[in-house]
Amino acid sequence: MLSETTISNKQYYSTGSGINTQGFLKGIPSAVGIAIGKSFIIEPEPYISGNTFIEADKIQSEIERFAKALKHLNTEFDEVISHSKTLPQSAQTIIETYLYLINDEFINENIRERIKTGLDTESAVINEYDYQGSFLRNSKDDLLRERVNDLENVKRRFISTLRHENPEYHLASGKILVAQNISPTDLVKYKEVGVIGIITEMGGIASHVSILARSFEMPAIIGVKDATKVLTDGLDLIIDGFTGLIIYNPDNLLSRRYEQRISEIEEHKTILGKLVKVKTETSDKRRIHLLSNIDRLEDVKNALIAGAEGVGLVRTESLLSNSGKIPDEDSQYSWYNELAERMYPNIVTIRCFDIGSDKYSAGIPLVENNPSLGLRGVRFLLYSRDIFKSQIKAILRASVNKNVRIMIPMISDLSELLTSKSLIADCMLELDKSGIKYDSKIPVGIMIETPSAVLTSDILAVECDFFSIGTNDLTQYTLAADRTNDLVTDIYDSFHPSVLKMIKITIENATKAGIVVGICGELAGHSGATRLLMGLGITELSVPSSMLLELKNRILKINFEEAVQMTEKLLTLNSSHDILKILESESN
Ligand code: PEP
Ligand code: MG
């Protein structure tokens, strides 16, 4: 369990009658901190019955909405096509089929006619596509029946385009979001307008949204059943991201107690601030390097303030827009270059796009039933080589000052690493031809986040310059438990003996090969794990800047030799329950 405290009984109760008196909800704490403010409910997307009618005077504006959505989808797919010259033929065919369907004038005219009968655009689109689908579904021709899926996918794209026209983010400023679920891109937007906390009905503690909330220091509670139904807009709320407790309509006593708690947290931060310039080493002088994880350029400032010795993970997929638009090489270059310059002379580890799964995949025209096991990370990059190459070139160009490392996500086979390296070599040749300078010795490393990568880490280590262990995915794939699913939060457990053994094997193989190995997953910053990770022999940890000083504070108090002995004992235990019991008793 990655959450610092776990509350299992997700119930709610009120001390009075109904929502007007003080009441409590419980969920899974996924980002620590306290927030006090008004609720802002994001209504769950309504089920569209296909029977929503509009007033006659709205018909023209609905027809215009349809035209706008059509244009938006065309631009989106055109952009994907312009990036996909090297996609396999099958993928190009899918995209072309979608484009063909979107622009089918017969279908579009029928949709406009349906709107003229008084249906809203969503209903008109659904009815028309379902109508077309019903013919194909009954066809005797296998190929035609398969087209039903295409129609279904295009219909869904239309609906999501229509639904996400203009979310009014600013209305949530200074408030606590209450949503069924939220996308990483939306969370970034809400952070920018000043949202102070989040409550979601769904989501796992290692989902990308939870990770973002932690790096934003935005208290978050997830897995709160029916939160959007129980709570109403504008309620006074206190959310306690340490315990998962939500209080609505708090009385004066509780409000004062939590205000006091906020002041204590601020005081503690001031004390930690004194550690910024202190060298990170254990009490017996083993040097540890602390780096920051970064999603946005703005995060560099916080990394420097917290005294990070570099950036251990840049999640570049955060550059993708809501529509899945990938910035071109020049825009990426300016972004990476600015990052490298601001951090200079410290190292910046730029991870190539880890597109897919729960991250920034909106707008990418891949429809997969099981995206976590699908075309994610390096698989997507090798599938879309022009996207990969333009990113590599942008990173190389930003490496002139020799403080950039390049990192490949989701490696599960040696061939993926070798092909990536040969593409990097091709990109270097192309830059040479154009007389563009770069670091020809740029370190190339990989994420170790699949069991396959761990078990072949001896082979992989020979072919790369560093490893970074991604414990978020390593836990997900080792235990076969979806990191975004609150129903398997208890199974998704980074302290499980299997995960610890995976980390141990990786460190041993990296050490044998003489390459650097770090951890950039959430386990690196978990308060219960620091002693254990020291004992396993890790010397580089990369965490969100918000966790860095707290982590340093713990390391300074740890004796390395004692940590090694304790870890040897832990690795003989059968369950994470027993492991955590010892870790807790040792830290008291
Ligand atoms: C990880 O998997 O641990 C990791 C750091 O990568 P991400 O969370 O971006 O998948
Ligand atoms: Mg990962």
Side-chain angles (χ1 to χ4, degrees):
M1 281 137 266
L2 256 184
S3 53
E4 303 274 349
T5 324
T6 302
I7 289 183
S8 51
N9 56 334
K10 292 173 234 156
Q11 297 165 343
Y12 67 89
Y13 55 95
S14 166
T15 50
S17 55
I19 199 76
N20 296 324
T21 49
Q22 175 170 281
F24 304 87
L25 292 173
K26 277 181 180 175
I28 303 165
S30 88
V32 297
I34 311 282
I36 303 180
K38 298 262 185 218
S39 56
F40 181 84
I41 313 281
I42 303 178
E43 292 295 340
E45 291 189 342
Y47 167 73
I48 301 178
S49 62
N51 284 323
T52 308
F53 289 93
I54 47 170
E55 304 290 327
D57 61 350
K58 295 264 167 48
I59 288 178
Q60 193 46 38
S61 63
E62 283 297 291
I63 288 179
E64 281 158 21
R65 256 184 92 216
F66 174 62
K68 234 169 101 187
L70 200 58
K71 194 164 160 222
H72 181 99
L73 280 178
N74 265 301
T75 317
E76 198 177 305
F77 280 97
D78 279 345
E79 272 163 10
V80 176
I81 282 206
S82 72
H83 277 297
S84 65
K85 285 180 217 82
T86 52
L87 282 182
Q89 193 52 43
S90 57
Q92 286 195 35
T93 311
I94 292 175
I95 301 168
E96 279 158 13
T97 308
Y98 286 4
L99 255 177
Y100 178 79
L101 278 175
I102 287 164
N103 291 304
D104 185 318
E105 204 26 54
F106 177 72
I107 295 182
N108 290 346
E109 190 47 34
N110 285 348
I111 291 172
R112 284 187 282 268
E113 286 305 320
R114 287 179 191 272
I115 296 174
K116 284 182 196 159
T117 67
L119 280 177
D120 75 345
T121 312
E122 282 89 337
S123 301
V125 167
I126 287 177
N127 288 349
E128 181 59 23
Y129 273 86
D130 286 352
Y131 176 70
Q132 297 295 337
S134 65
F135 285 119
L136 297 182
R137 203 168 277 120
N138 296 326
S139 164
K140 292 204 166 60
D141 183 330
D142 286 350
L143 267 180
L144 282 180
R145 278 203 311 277
E146 276 171 26
R147 297 290 299 280
V148 175
N149 268 342
D150 295 336
L151 278 172
E152 193 58 33
N153 288 327
V154 170
K155 178 178 95 179
R156 273 196 258 146
R157 300 301 298 241
F158 254 119
I159 297 302
S160 82
T161 305
L162 285 162
R163 277 173 163 172
H164 296 105
E165 281 160 346
N166 290 313
E168 298 194 89
Y169 298 106
H170 66 279
L171 296 179
S173 172
K175 298 188 179 157
I176 297 170
L177 278 190
V178 184
Q180 213 168 46
N181 209 354
I182 183 165
S183 76
T185 327
D186 276 342
L187 185 60
V188 171
K189 300 251 170 62
Y190 281 117
K191 155 81 182 160
E192 278 160 9
V193 300
V195 157
I196 58 167
I198 40 174
I199 299 170
T200 62
E201 295 178 1
M202 287 150 72
I205 41 186
S207 69
H208 200 56
V209 165
S210 292
I211 292 173
L212 268 181
R214 286 194 279 275
S215 79
F216 291 159
E217 295 187 68
M218 186 190 280
I221 302 179
I222 60 172
V224 186
K225 210 164 165 287
D226 293 332
T228 57
K229 294 197 194 89
V230 179
L231 300 172
T232 52
D233 230 2
L235 269 186
D236 284 321
L237 288 184
I238 297 177
I239 67 171
D240 182 341
F242 296 97
T243 61
L245 186 67
I246 298 160
I247 306 157
Y248 53 85
N249 294 323
D251 62 20
N252 285 342
L253 187 69
L254 265 182
S255 298
R256 274 203 306 279
R257 206 183 283 164
Y258 273 98
E259 276 156 15
Q260 173 67 22
R261 198 69 211 287
I262 291 178
S263 326
E264 285 162 12
I265 294 169
E266 288 309 315
E267 271 168 40
H268 180 62
K269 279 191 195 157
T270 316
I271 297 169
L272 286 181
K274 303 207 168 89
L275 297 180
V276 171
K277 296 228 156 60
V278 174
K279 198 200 289 178
T280 311
E281 53 188 17
T282 58
S283 62
D284 46 351
K285 306 278 177 239
R286 182 173 163 88
R287 181 82 165 87
I288 307 293
H289 298 280
L290 296 189
L291 296 87
S292 263
N293 291 350
I294 276 179
D295 274 60
R296 310 166 313 141
L297 260 187
E298 296 83 336
D299 298 339
V300 176
K301 191 175 91 217
N302 292 337
L304 291 171
I305 293 174
E309 293 175 61
V311 175
L313 168 64
V314 183
R315 287 187 167 97
T316 58
E317 53 279 5
S318 63
L319 290 174
L320 266 71
S321 68
N322 240 337
S323 63
K325 186 170 180 279
I326 296 173
D328 62 16
E329 182 188 318
D330 282 345
S331 328
Q332 286 186 57
Y333 161 69
S334 347
W335 202 85
Y336 304 146
N337 195 45
E338 190 158 350
L339 197 55
E341 278 183 357
R342 287 201 210 170
M343 282 308 291
Y344 187 83
N346 295 316
I347 202 83
V348 174
T349 313
I350 303 182
R351 183 176 72 184
C352 297
F353 296 128
D354 184 15
I355 291 171
S357 194
D358 68 318
K359 294 190 290 189
Y360 304 103
S361 49
I364 302 290
L366 294 169
V367 181
E368 300 179 286
N369 284 335
N370 206 344
S372 295
L373 299 183
L375 209 57
R376 184 192 164 178
V378 71
R379 301 172 185 181
F380 175 81
L381 295 168
L382 293 176
Y383 187 74
S384 332
R385 294 194 182 185
D386 54 343
I387 295 176
F388 195 9
K389 280 182 74 181
S390 73
Q391 183 174 35
I392 293 170
K393 281 196 241 168
I395 299 173
L396 285 173
R397 286 165 61 190
S399 72
V400 268
N401 293 322
K402 303 193 187 335
N403 68 325
V404 171
R405 303 195 288 192
I406 187 163
M407 181 154 78
I408 326 250
M410 261 298 274
I411 292 281
S412 58
D413 183 69
L414 175 67
S415 65
E416 293 162 342
L417 170 58
L418 296 180
T419 314
S420 303
K421 278 173 66 179
S422 93
L423 288 176
I424 294 173
D426 291 349
C427 290
M428 287 183 172
L429 281 178
E430 287 173 29
L431 292 180
D432 286 340
K433 279 194 198 134
S434 316
I436 298 172
K437 292 207 171 12
Y438 58 90
D439 176 9
S440 60
K441 300 226 161 47
I442 186 168
V444 177
I446 59 171
M447 296 282 298
I448 299 286
E449 47 189 351
T450 63
S452 161
V454 171
L455 298 175
T456 54
S457 52
D458 51 343
I459 302 168
L460 295 166
V462 178
E463 291 296 338
C464 61
D465 300 302
F466 66 94
F467 282 164
S468 187
I469 307 176
T471 48
N472 307 336
D473 279 313
L474 188 55
T475 304
Q476 154 163 277
Y477 294 124
T478 301
L479 291 162
D482 183 349
R483 61 192 268 190
T484 69
N485 183 344
D486 58 303
L487 299 175
V488 291
T489 299
D490 290 343
I491 301 171
Y492 181 96
D493 180 358
S494 296
F495 289 91
H496 192 277
S498 60
V499 179
L500 302 186
K501 281 179 189 157
M502 292 277 173
I503 298 174
K504 181 171 184 275
I505 295 170
T506 308
I507 297 174
E508 281 171 358
N509 283 331
T511 312
K512 255 187 240 154
I515 65 167
V516 175
V517 53
I519 297 185
C520 63
E522 293 296 287
L523 191 66
H526 192 287
S527 62
T530 315
R531 192 175 296 267
L532 167 68
L533 298 180
M534 296 295 101
L536 282 167
I538 209 81
T539 52
E540 186 183 290
L541 293 171
S542 190
V543 296
S545 308
S546 55
M547 294 183 177
L548 202 139
L549 289 173
E550 197 77 71
L551 173 60
K552 186 188 279 195
N553 193 28
R554 287 195 296 274
I555 293 173
L556 295 173
K557 294 178 192 151
I558 290 172
N559 178 289
F560 173 61
E561 290 304 331
E562 284 172 16
V564 170
Q565 279 168 24
M566 182 205 67
T567 302
E568 274 167 15
K569 197 159 88 192
L570 290 183
L571 288 170
T572 64
L573 300 177
N574 296 339
S575 70
S576 71
H577 175 262
D578 295 345
I579 292 169
L580 284 165
K581 219 160 75 188
I582 296 208
L583 282 171
E584 268 162 31
S585 68
E586 294 271 337
S587 64
N588 290 329

